[in-house]
Amino acid sequence: MSDIRDIGWEERIEGHAFPMRLQKYLARAGVASRRGSESLITAGRVEVNGIVVTELGSKVDPLEDEVAVDGVVVVWGSSHVVLALNKPSGIITTMKDYRGRRCVADIMPCDEYPGLYPIGRLDKDTTGLLLFTTDGELGNGLLHPSHHVTKVYHATVTGIMTEAEAQQLREGILLEDGMTAPAEISVISKSRNRCVVELAIHEGRKHQVKRMCKAVGHPVEHLDRVSFGPIETGSLKQGVWRKLDDEETAALYRAAGLA
């Protein structure tokens, strides 16, 4: 630390000028995206020198100030992490809920990985693969529509979906917010009054799979996401998370268009 202090806080560290806005510092330190960092601040999860800071215009000097998220000190240049959770039903995809509802932060290792945030969302009643990272650039890349990262779902729907109805989804279907992109879909099992369809999409509209199935006359009874890009749920049990290995993480960066 002493060798860095010798250059003075107005100099640059790893190409970044200081002091800088707190949310920018958190994003550049790999805690979360800029927007995600702003959410951390306004949620009261960020401390500077032991004092909670909620004002987005606040500035910090890393040579003088100690920044912590959820009580864990942010280390400039610390490595990023990507975690996979098999999300159970009944849990909302947020890192803090002021209404006291159970959220994903309750089962994720937030103390161990400060600034952890979910890449996208799953509805409260939707189960399956949910990825978390401390790298805002990765999260943004995976969600950006230009990268066409595929998400695969298994949807249990009311009634038996016909080939003609499935073809409508393959060609794209008109919803209230416009035409959907073509989807890959197949019926993987049938019972008397319902069937399970596998649906692969690369868009990220709100409630998209549920709205698509309802549009062809088959409301979704249960929805489970089985993969996100190159990562699959596999044998991961519901309510359990795991850290991705180097090969899996590298595959995600490639999917996001990042080296």
Side-chain angles (χ1 to χ4, degrees):
M1 193 70 166
S2 58
D3 57 332
I4 295 178
R5 288 181 182 277
D6 290 340
I7 67 175
W9 65 265
E10 290 183 338
E11 299 294 328
R12 301 173 71 85
I13 300 175
E14 297 182 4
H16 304 303
F18 297 107
M20 66 166 56
R21 290 179 181 272
L22 180 56
Q23 60 266 40
K24 185 176 182 180
Y25 172 77
L26 292 172
R28 300 248 177 129
V31 171
S33 66
R34 184 78 66 87
R35 185 175 179 181
S37 296
E38 291 176 351
S39 298
L40 291 173
I41 295 168
T42 56
R45 297 174 61 188
V46 180
E47 296 179 358
V48 177
N49 300 325
I51 300 174
V52 174
V53 175
T54 57
E55 187 177 340
L56 294 181
S58 302
K59 292 187 177 182
V60 293
D61 171 9
L63 304 179
E64 300 291 341
D65 301 319
E66 182 180 82
V67 179
V69 178
D70 297 332
V72 180
V73 176
V74 174
V75 179
W76 186 270
S78 57
S79 60
H80 297 299
V81 66
V82 185
L83 308 180
L85 167 72
N86 188 343
K87 176 189 167 301
S89 180
I91 296 180
I92 60 174
T93 307
T94 183
M95 299 306 286
K96 194 166 188 176
D97 183 65
Y98 292 101
R99 294 167 58 185
R101 295 173 297 178
R102 194 177 183 211
C103 60
V104 291
D106 295 326
I107 54 178
M108 296 304 291
C110 299
D111 292 340
E112 184 176 356
Y113 303 108
L116 196 68
Y117 77 102
I119 301 175
R121 292 177 176 272
L122 291 178
D123 292 342
K124 182 179 179 180
D125 60 348
T126 298
T127 60
L129 184 62
L130 185 61
L131 298 178
F132 293 76
T133 186
T134 55
D135 186 352
E137 190 175 8
L138 174 63
N140 290 336
L142 288 171
L143 296 176
H144 199 282
S146 66
H147 293 134
H148 302 289
V149 179
T150 300
K151 282 85 69 176
V152 180
Y153 298 83
H154 286 174
T156 303
V157 303
T158 301
I160 305 300
M161 188 176 294
T162 65
E163 178 60 23
E165 293 165 339
Q167 187 60 29
Q168 292 182 58
L169 300 180
R170 295 189 188 105
E171 296 174 355
I173 192 166
L174 182 62
L175 301 178
E176 60 269 25
D177 53 354
M179 287 290 295
T180 65
E184 297 179 23
I185 184 170
S186 60
V187 177
I188 57 177
S189 68
K190 300 177 183 178
S191 62
R192 190 170 188 179
N193 299 313
R194 61 181 54 84
C195 67
V196 178
V197 297
E198 182 175 274
L199 226 159
I201 62 173
H202 59 76
E203 295 179 292
R205 305 188 200 182
K206 189 174 183 179
H207 308 311
Q208 183 173 345
V209 172
K210 293 177 179 178
R211 290 190 292 140
M212 289 171 66
C213 292
K214 185 177 181 180
V216 293
H218 298 281
V220 172
E221 297 180 2
H222 177 68
L223 187 63
D224 182 70
R225 183 158 71 188
V226 297
S227 71
F228 189 123
I231 309 303
E232 299 180 350
T233 308
S235 60
L236 190 65
K237 295 181 179 180
Q238 281 194 13
V240 177
W241 64 269
R242 69 177 180 87
K243 184 178 179 181
L244 299 193
D245 61 31
D246 291 343
E247 184 176 341
E248 291 173 314
T249 301
L252 270 183
Y253 275 89
R254 289 193 297 271
L258 302 170

